[in-house]
Amino acid sequence: MNKQGTTGRIDRINIAIDGPAGAGKSTIARMVANKLQYIYVDTGAMYRAVTWLMLKEGISADNDEKVLQMSQQMVIELKPHENGQMVLLNGEDITPYIRSHEVSSAVSRYAQIEGLRTYLVNLQRQMAMHKGVVMDGRDIGTTVLPDAEVKIFLTASVKERALRRYKQLGEAEGVSLEQLEMDIARRDSLDEKREVSPLRRAEDAIELDTTQMTIQQVVDTILSYCISRMDGE
Ligand code: DC
């Protein structure tokens, strides 16, 4: 029987993918979305876009009101792109800036602002209203889309996640592997301990430890869960 209480096939579902930084969420979510021809929503990119703007405008994360006010005035667009996803802020392509070390180090502080989270969560829910969405983040299965038909919680060891980020950033950023390991451990702790929507596995989420898995194995595993849900299992 499916969630609607009937036994038929479900045409379109929502897929929530959560997990800590560097667990491979965005790569995997994008591949799952491509395969199913679904829309991919990278919610971390939304928190990153806000952070980038606040750093540029010199607005501290302690100034909750100003952060919220400016966020409500900005237009964030997520567009599919051959190398991933393009992030536009008020029409400007800010994709190259939002993954910088500077933004990565500051984003957890802005992501703790309750008003900002409420605002972004509402936007995210609207994006998923018509189903057919793969959304990744920290609180998708628990808060944003508690009714998602498939919920995945992706993990990998801190060492492995740091190594993946190191390869992704390349040497141009000048950040050492040790520094990345420390940053990831610090962000895990901030994301897990914050009061609003902390990073935690939804009770009904399937946990996948990807430390020893290839990307394709993870994608195939998730797709098989999706197919069984669509078949009403
Ligand atoms: O997934 P990411 O590394 O791009 O996320 C950037 C930051 O945003 C990270 O510190 C956690 C935060 N985040 C969040 O709090 N809730 C989400 N749904 C997505 C990301």
Side-chain angles (χ1 to χ4, degrees), residues 124-180:
Q124 291 154 9
R125 286 188 181 142
Q126 283 169 27
M127 292 172 176
M129 218 162 57
H130 302 295
K131 303 270 181 192
V133 163
V134 183
M135 190 175 284
D136 80 11
R138 303 292 189 285
D139 57 344
I140 312 305
T142 54
T143 307
V144 182
L145 304 177
D147 293 331
E149 286 78 4
V150 172
K151 297 184 187 179
I152 306 288
F153 195 80
L154 282 187
T155 61
S157 68
V158 172
K159 237 186 171 47
E160 174 67 19
R161 289 187 281 136
L163 193 64
R164 290 177 189 171
R165 191 78 8 135
Y166 185 70
K167 288 181 187 157
Q168 194 181 42
L169 284 177
E171 286 173 15
E173 279 267 341
V175 189
S176 69
L177 185 58
E178 292 71 28
Q179 180 65 48
L180 284 173

Side-chain angles (χ1 to χ4, degrees), residues 50-59 66-67 70-71 110:
V50 170
T51 303
W52 176 79
L53 182 68
M54 298 308 146
L55 292 178
K56 186 164 98 82
E57 300 293 329
I59 296 160
K66 186 79 185 159
V67 172
M70 287 196 61
S71 306
Y110 290 91

Side-chain angles (χ1 to χ4, degrees), residues 192-208:
E192 283 161 10
K193 289 189 187 133
R194 72 163 172 250
E195 278 178 30
V196 193
S197 286
L199 167 67
R200 102 188 132 72
R201 184 173 80 86
E203 271 175 24
D204 50 352
I206 298 151
E207 183 160 346
L208 286 180

Side-chain angles (χ1 to χ4, degrees), residues 18-22 25 42-45 47-48 99 104 107-108 111-112 117 124 136-140 144 165 187 191 194 197:
D18 291 300
K25 295 185 301 293
D42 173 359
T43 61
Y47 289 94
R48 285 173 178 275
R99 309 219 174 262
S104 299
V107 63
S108 287
Q112 290 190 51
R117 295 202 72 87
Q124 291 154 9
D136 80 11
R138 303 292 189 285
D139 57 344
I140 312 305
V144 182
R165 191 78 8 135
R187 275 171 63 197
D191 290 345
R194 72 163 172 250
S197 286

